[in-house]
Amino acid sequence: MQLDEIDKQLLDFLQEDSKQTNKELSNKLNLSVTAVYERIKKLEREGIVSKYVTLINKKSVDKAFVTFCSIKLVQHSKDYVMQFEREVTKLNEVLECYHISGDYDYLLKVIVADMDEFREFMVKKLTTISHIGSTHSAFMINEVKHTTAIKV
């Protein structure tokens, strides 16, 4: 699907606040409510808009301790990779997991309450996954930029 300027503006507005009504969006875009509705439905059908979510303030739910864990597998066989990926997706503390190039195989973003909870996560959950050769953890000092919006 080729995005025109109105689609791009609409995506910016939806990423800013997806709870805006079609009426509010129509006023911002100078389109009819029906035209906005149809554009949104098309963006959803084409898979450009995949879901709508609520972003939660980490501190308000006592999950402000953010850690980035680099994981190295003992081997890069298909079975080891597939098993690791299946297991890591089951861990609620892991918000993001990326298969990466470089010295490590995976990068995880882990969110917990504090250092004690992180240690518990490492000892009782992460390191119980088979085929992990080594881990390296870096702790967030300050969140300088955090966005989910993609400029189109």
Side-chain angles (χ1 to χ4, degrees):
M1 174 180 169
Q2 192 69 20
L3 298 174
D4 64 19
E5 284 307 310
I6 294 173
D7 291 327
K8 291 176 182 180
Q9 285 180 309
L10 178 56
L11 287 168
D12 285 343
F13 290 140
L14 287 172
Q15 289 183 99
E16 183 182 304
D17 179 7
S18 65
K19 288 190 73 169
Q20 294 176 78
T21 65
N22 288 348
K23 175 106 175 106
E24 291 170 317
L25 293 166
S26 73
N27 289 334
K28 290 179 180 180
L29 296 167
N30 293 318
L31 294 174
S32 70
V33 173
T34 303
V36 168
Y37 173 83
E38 291 301 327
R39 282 180 180 264
I40 291 171
K41 287 301 166 196
K42 186 175 182 184
L43 292 167
E44 292 170 349
R45 262 193 323 275
E46 294 293 326
I48 293 168
V49 173
S50 60
K51 68 168 81 172
Y52 299 91
V53 299
T54 299
L55 302 177
I56 297 172
N57 178 316
K58 293 184 287 296
K59 288 180 182 176
S60 67
V61 292
D62 198 26
K63 297 289 182 186
F65 192 82
V66 179
T67 307
F68 297 94
C69 295
S70 300
I71 307 292
K72 190 181 291 188
L73 299 182
V74 292
Q75 230 181 81
H76 299 104
S77 72
K78 181 180 177 184
D79 289 342
Y80 285 14
V81 167
M82 299 295 282
Q83 182 182 357
F84 174 80
E85 290 178 4
R86 269 194 311 274
E87 293 299 316
V88 79
T89 58
K90 296 176 187 174
L91 302 175
N92 292 330
E93 295 87 350
V94 176
L95 295 187
E96 300 173 40
C97 175
Y98 302 98
H99 195 175
I100 58 173
S101 64
D103 292 336
Y104 289 91
D105 300 312
Y106 290 92
L107 179 63
L108 312 180
K109 181 177 181 181
V110 177
I111 185 168
V112 293
D114 54 29
M115 180 62 85
D116 290 336
E117 194 174 312
F118 178 72
R119 183 180 188 287
E120 185 91 359
F121 164 77
M122 288 295 288
V123 171
K124 293 189 176 174
K125 292 184 178 181
L126 187 63
T127 57
T128 63
I129 297 176
S130 301
H131 317 303
I132 291 179
S134 63
T135 66
H136 175 82
S137 299
F139 308 105
M140 178 185 76
I141 295 170
N142 183 39
E143 187 172 270
V144 177
K145 180 180 180 180
H146 174 93
T147 185
T148 60
I150 299 170
K151 185 69 180 158
V152 289

